[in-house]
Amino acid sequence: MRDIAVRGFINDKFNTTFGKGLFRRAVFNGSVELANPKEKYLVDYYSYADWQNTAKSDEQMAAVRKMQAAGVSEADDVYCSWILHYNPVSKVKTKVAGFSVYAPQTQELYICIDDPANETMEEWSLPTRLCKNTGANKPVFIATNVDLNATQ
């Protein structure tokens, strides 16, 4: 299993408009960083109802059905996100197959990335921790399977 670190931030633009009748609905934004090889992904966590309404492809509809079968649609306070691959050199964001589910009440995060182009086809279930120091450019939660304080 590859090393992973997920950082979630409060979306400062939540519920603001970006067009007539169009609102920013993501409650949290975040980054997913993988090691060996190093890759970066982006996540925008929506309420389940808003997330399922953004499904467009057959793969995304299959993910929505999988979450409904697992009972996630009935759970309170659950946030879901599609996955975007981020290339820091070109700053290009590319949709990839996969999704993430964050449950703040149980402090759990599930992430599934199916991105053969970048050699990432894995799933993780991680405990999350709330960050003590929050604010501008500081995460509100973090989930990882590696010690982030260790020097590499």
Side-chain angles (χ1 to χ4, degrees), residues 67-129:
M67 291 295 97
Q68 287 173 338
V72 173
S73 57
E74 285 84 36
D76 291 332
D77 200 26
V78 171
Y79 301 98
C80 301
S81 174
W82 302 116
I83 310 289
L84 293 174
H85 179 264
Y86 179 71
N87 184 327
V89 175
S90 65
K91 300 193 186 299
V92 172
K93 301 171 189 173
T94 310
K95 289 182 183 178
V96 300
F99 61 94
S100 179
V101 179
Y102 171 52
Q105 289 182 343
T106 60
Q107 295 187 334
E108 295 174 289
L109 184 125
Y110 170 80
I111 188 163
C112 172
I113 301 174
D114 186 7
D115 183 15
N118 293 296
E119 301 175 12
T120 304
M121 293 159 290
E122 293 190 52
E123 296 181 29
W124 297 266
S125 290
L126 303 166
T128 63
R129 295 188 187 262

Side-chain angles (χ1 to χ4, degrees), residues 11 14 24 74 86 91 98 117 122 134-135 137 143:
N11 183 5
F14 174 68
R24 292 180 177 92
E74 285 84 36
Y86 179 71
K91 300 193 186 299
E122 293 190 52
T134 60
N137 299 324

Side-chain angles (χ1 to χ4, degrees), residues 12-40:
D12 293 330
K13 295 181 181 180
F14 174 68
N15 229 11
T16 61
T17 60
F18 63 96
K20 188 173 183 174
L22 301 173
F23 291 88
R24 292 180 177 92
R25 301 272 188 218
V27 178
F28 300 104
N29 305 117
S31 65
V32 179
E33 296 175 33
L34 301 175
N36 303 324
K38 188 174 181 177
E39 294 295 336
K40 186 169 185 175

